[in-house]
Amino acid sequence: MRLSRYFLPVLKETPAEAQIVSHRYMLRAGMIKQQSAGIYSWLPMGFKVLRKIENIVHEEQMRAGHIPVQMPILQGADLWRESGRYDDYGQEMLRMQDRHGRDLLYTPTAEEMVTDIFRSHVSSYKDLPLTLYQIQWKFRDEIRPRFGVMRGREFYMKDGYNFDLTKEDALHAYNRHLVSYLRTYERMGLQAIPMRADSGPIGGDDTHEFLVLADTGESEVFYDSAVTDLSFGDREIDYDSHEQCAGVLDEFTSKYARTDETHDEALFNAVPEERRRTARGIEVGQIFYFGTKYSEAMGATVQGPDGKPVPVHMGSHGIGVSRLLGAIIEASHDDKGIIWPEGVTPFHCGIVNLKQGDDEADAACDALYKSLISLGLDPLYDDRKERAGGKFATMDLIGLPWRITVGPRGLKNGVVELTCRRTGESEEMPPEQAVAKVAAIYEKHMVRGL
């Protein structure tokens, strides 16, 4: 993309309503525009990152053997009356009626709807295990929406639901989701720590939240600092192996890490004093096992091996896709702007022409641009007739991980400048070498084995 043809409404001043870093930078970098309290339009660059995050979530869900579906945003109230949650959910649920007087609701979550799909089409234990998931817009009428996409009313979310014959199988699904979530967050450049949490209106006894440590987090968290040394890395896991998935769960949850709702002071004090930490955390996902809570209430049964009907064991598993943009920025920024991890950056590399209109500089930038595209990369070429300082400020604000700077002086020596946004370090090299280095950096972010 050439910046002269792109829609990037960058703001020089920070809007007064933006209280936290991610909200300020998303507005200033032209990623979102507020339409009403807690509801945003996603402008091209914000939408581009949203899709990058969504694709990673899809890839890791399918790697784990989960099957995508798409359910409607509006649900009938009758399903929620069956489960007993229609009156219990509270004022966060947006309720309405259609022209025929039928009660509807704007989806805050979809346990009832997916259970109805399951009971309509699955009748035998031979069709289990089954995990269905979607990535869909949700709405919760927050009393005080704030912090931009971090606590909005409308949000984009992955919600998945497992159906299993036994509790043992359902807990394997729980463990399998934990493994897939660890992979998902690390691909986005995040360390999201699984912490024992409260189940809230979803229900169930087994639940972990995934939290990213940040000063602006909504939750107070207590943890053993040893958990921050853990990394899933590039290891291969057999998702069908109960033993391997349980081993990962034990590795990542055996050390103390809890939100304030489930904090146990006695257990925390058993952690060596030098490793006890208290901080703030941003919730970016949660997994639940809730047994037969919904299947019994809604008649979701299968014929068991003995021919008798058995209510299936279930769990639900969510990732806040739109919220992740805010969490990534909160975890990765400086006083100049965003610093995107390579896995989710809207463009792989920025190209800055220091002397737009100079024949040699223009030709060199065009050649770099075409070379990067030919290798499957997505560069953003700042070809505006703008002063160099303004171009650098824009690149720093929007946070592309790598920048190639081209100017007449360097070209006389046969070099361009490659700069790392995270470290600020620059290196002069021939243009073809800069292209090769950028391509090599992104090679490890290519998805394999799906």
Side-chain angles (χ1 to χ4, degrees):
M1 177 58 67
R2 295 174 184 266
L3 195 47
S4 62
R5 301 176 187 174
Y6 198 50
F7 181 57
L8 187 67
V10 170
L11 304 177
K12 291 184 179 179
E13 303 296 328
T14 300
E17 71 271 19
Q19 301 174 32
I20 63 171
V21 167
S22 58
H23 194 191
R24 291 199 297 269
Y25 283 154
M26 289 185 76
L27 289 170
R28 285 197 55 211
M31 298 179 69
I32 56 173
K33 182 187 183 301
Q34 181 171 312
Q35 299 304 136
S36 61
I39 300 175
Y40 294 87
S41 290
W42 291 80
L43 306 184
M45 198 175 81
F47 184 64
K48 197 172 175 69
V49 180
L50 190 70
R51 283 287 175 257
K52 288 280 187 80
I53 292 173
E54 178 183 3
N55 287 340
I56 290 174
V57 173
H58 271 305
E59 288 162 0
E60 292 305 327
Q61 286 300 295
M62 289 188 285
R63 188 193 297 272
H66 307 157
I67 303 169
V69 297
Q70 188 79 91
M71 292 179 275
I73 296 173
L74 293 179
Q75 298 189 37
D78 288 345
L79 288 175
W80 285 66
R81 291 189 175 108
E82 271 192 71
S83 71
R85 284 206 302 173
Y86 185 68
D87 295 320
D88 294 343
Y89 202 88
Q91 292 184 321
E92 286 187 356
M93 181 189 289
L94 183 63
R95 297 166 169 86
M96 66 203 80
Q97 288 189 334
D98 65 14
R99 66 173 63 194
H100 303 291
R102 290 184 289 247
D103 291 326
L104 301 172
L105 58 99
Y106 196 120
T107 298
T109 184
E111 283 81 7
E112 285 81 1
M113 191 181 298
V114 76
T115 303
D116 182 54
I117 291 171
F118 176 87
R119 70 184 179 183
S120 299
H121 299 287
V122 180
S123 58
S124 170
Y125 76 96
K126 296 178 181 179
D127 296 321
L128 303 179
L130 178 66
T131 295
L132 304 175
Y133 79 93
Q134 66 169 348
I135 300 178
Q136 178 63 290
W137 290 100
K138 308 288 193 302
F139 188 91
R140 293 176 189 166
D141 199 3
E142 296 278 354
I143 189 170
R144 283 187 296 274
R146 55 193 176 132
F147 302 156
V149 300
M150 297 284 288
R151 197 173 182 85
R153 292 193 295 166
E154 184 182 61
F155 54 96
Y156 205 43
M157 178 182 172
K158 172 261 164 180
D159 48 318
Y161 307 90
N162 66 280
F163 302 88
D164 290 278
L165 183 63
T166 66
K167 180 176 181 179
E168 179 186 2
D169 291 339
L171 288 177
H172 171 59
Y174 185 96
N175 299 347
R176 190 174 66 241
H177 277 85
L178 181 134
V179 174
S180 69
Y181 279 24
L182 291 172
R183 285 186 56 95
T184 298
Y185 296 126
E186 287 192 14
R187 282 186 60 189
M188 296 176 191
L190 287 173
Q191 182 177 50
I193 302 170
M195 298 192 179
R196 177 66 65 178
D198 181 65
S199 61
I202 302 292
D205 297 325
D206 292 273
T207 180
H208 282 86
E209 285 180 353
F210 291 79
L211 289 107
V212 174
L213 300 178
D215 292 339
T216 51
E218 72 271 50
S219 300
E220 186 176 17
V221 298
F222 303 82
Y223 64 96
D224 180 339
S225 64
V227 301
T228 61
D229 297 328
L230 298 174
S231 172
F232 188 83
D234 296 328
R235 71 181 87 174
E236 290 297 324
I237 291 289
D238 179 359
Y239 281 105
D240 291 329
S241 169
H242 287 227
E243 183 180 0
Q244 286 188 37
C245 291
V248 174
L249 175 105
D250 182 65
E251 177 186 351
F252 280 83
T253 64
S254 59
K255 295 178 174 61
Y256 192 91
R258 297 195 178 202
T259 61
D260 49 2
E261 295 99 334
T262 60
H263 177 53
D264 186 315
E265 194 67 27
L267 290 176
F268 187 54
N269 288 336
V271 176
E273 186 175 359
E274 69 275 10
R275 298 203 325 243
R276 287 180 221 152
R277 299 286 188 274
T278 303
R280 308 295 299 181
I282 300 169
E283 182 197 341
V284 292
Q286 190 163 2
I287 56 177
F288 302 86
Y289 162 70
F290 42 67
T292 58
K293 174 181 176 178
Y294 295 94
S295 57
E296 287 186 342
M298 299 182 67
T301 62
V302 295
Q303 186 180 59
D306 59 0
K308 296 179 180 179
V310 180
V312 292
H313 288 253
M314 293 175 58
S316 70
H317 316 276
I319 289 179
V321 175
S322 54
R323 169 178 270 247
L324 272 165
L325 270 84
I328 291 168
I329 294 170
E330 292 294 330
S332 185
H333 69 271
D334 61 16
D335 58 1
K336 295 178 181 178
I338 302 164
I339 305 174
W340 290 116
E342 279 85 355
V344 296
T345 180
F347 297 94
H348 296 119
C349 179
I351 302 172
V352 172
N353 189 339
L354 293 180
K355 196 172 183 180
Q356 198 71 39
D358 178 88
D359 290 344
E360 189 177 6
D362 290 354
C365 287
D366 285 339
L368 282 166
Y369 183 68
K370 291 174 182 176
S371 294
L372 290 164
I373 290 173
S374 70
L375 293 172
L377 298 173
D378 189 7
L380 179 64
Y381 173 20
D382 191 344
D383 59 342
R384 300 172 299 162
K385 291 184 178 179
E386 172 79 55
R387 61 182 180 83
K391 291 186 174 187
F392 290 144
T394 297
M395 285 292 174
D396 285 342
L397 174 62
I398 66 177
L400 307 186
W402 297 91
R403 184 186 76 224
I404 301 175
T405 304
V406 180
R409 184 180 301 174
L411 289 174
K412 287 180 181 178
N413 298 317
V415 298
V416 296
E417 186 178 70
L418 180 63
T419 302
C420 174
R421 173 69 179 89
R422 185 169 298 280
T423 66
E425 295 176 357
S426 296
E427 185 180 358
E428 290 188 338
M429 60 187 70
E432 60 275 12
Q433 186 178 334
V435 170
K437 184 167 182 177
V438 172
I441 288 166
Y442 285 101
E443 175 69 20
K444 67 179 181 180
H445 295 282
M446 303 297 287
V447 181
R448 295 183 176 83
L450 290 178

